[in-house]
Amino acid sequence: MAKPGIPKHVAIILDGNGRWAKRRRQTRSFGHYQGGRNLFQVAKAARDLGIKILTVYAFSTENWKRPKEEIDYLMTKPVELFHEHKDRLDELDYKVRFIGRRDRFSTDMLNVIETIENTSRDQEGFELVIAADYGAYDELIKAVHQADTPITEETLQDALMLKEPVDLLIRTSGEQRISNFLLWQAAYAEFYFTRVHWPAFRKRHLAKAIKNYQRRHRRFGGL
Ligand code: IPE
Ligand code: IPE
Ligand code: MG
């Protein structure tokens, strides 16, 4: 069987913002700030490397459990940054889409999400999918309610927020768990764990993960 080429769909669990900041005697918020900036650098790198879809886990349905101060930062800073850099929206030359719940964000945050999605809707070639207030339990329960009947692998998959199977799933910062991310889509994903914290994750780390992936033998249950 041929070894895999460039993975079409890469997913990354963006973990370690807090630990990265702590090591630098900075606040957790600073870690989130640098992690957010890094996202757009890595998206460009992914596109340059020939990846077609990059799905990133930015905020889970469980992350609301965090202290109020951290939640406030995560829910207000992106809106503030968006308005500061609004004039650069034209530079967005790939599609950006959000998956996850939409009923717990502020109106300001929803406006930012919708503006980014609408502005980039017609871009082709590369797509960045941002999972925000996303949880696979929530996605699967919604899909079961919305799927055409009879429920089959095809109809259920079609009702998911994200339909494309993941080829390579990366988690930064050393933890080796899936934390309620893409349970269905990652059924046959190759997993890659790195100790590098998300704000320090660069193109060369992504290239290394892809090289590692290309040495693997994907069997999908066959031989
Ligand atoms: C990932 O970094 C970002 C979010 C979950 C919002 P963390 O905030 O989980 O960073 P650590 O794991 O505490 O270092
Ligand atoms: C997973 O990271 C969620 C995101 C990266 C958005 P967490 O830091 O929340 O995961 P756990 O709690 O360590 O499993
Ligand atoms: Mg974490």
Side-chain angles (χ1 to χ4, degrees), residues 5 21 50 53 81 87 118 124 129 141 157 164 166 203 212:
I53 308 166
L81 288 171
D87 50 325
N118 292 336
E124 284 172 13
V129 180
I141 290 166
Q157 175 153 321
E164 300 82 359
V166 173
K203 186 178 186 178
N212 184 293

Side-chain angles (χ1 to χ4, degrees), residues 68-109:
K68 184 178 179 304
E69 191 193 348
E70 181 158 345
I71 298 293
D72 284 350
Y73 183 86
L74 289 168
M75 293 301 146
T76 56
K77 194 66 187 179
V79 176
E80 204 183 296
L81 288 171
F82 173 84
H83 288 292
E84 252 170 55
H85 299 285
K86 221 175 178 171
D87 50 325
R88 292 182 54 196
L89 202 57
D90 309 339
E91 292 171 28
L92 193 57
D93 57 356
Y94 52 83
K95 191 189 277 196
V96 182
R97 196 160 71 79
F98 288 77
I99 56 169
R101 291 179 59 162
R102 297 261 168 129
D103 58 320
R104 301 195 282 193
F105 289 135
S106 66
T107 313
D108 286 346
M109 181 68 106

Side-chain angles (χ1 to χ4, degrees), residues 17-18 20-22 24-37 73-74 77 199:
N17 289 351
W20 178 87
K22 198 175 166 198
R24 283 162 182 74
R25 295 171 192 269
Q26 298 277 359
T27 59
R28 289 183 57 82
S29 295
F30 182 66
H32 292 312
Y33 176 75
Q34 291 297 339
R37 285 185 52 155
Y73 183 86
L74 289 168
K77 194 66 187 179

Side-chain angles (χ1 to χ4, degrees), residues 14-20 28 32 57-60 63 66 70 74 171 173 175 197-198:
L14 312 180
D15 201 15
N17 289 351
R19 278 164 282 175
W20 178 87
R28 289 183 57 82
H32 292 312
Y57 204 9
F59 192 85
S60 76
N63 284 147
R66 294 190 177 194
E70 181 158 345
L74 289 168
R171 183 167 185 149
S173 208
E175 244 62 74
H197 299 306
W198 171 249

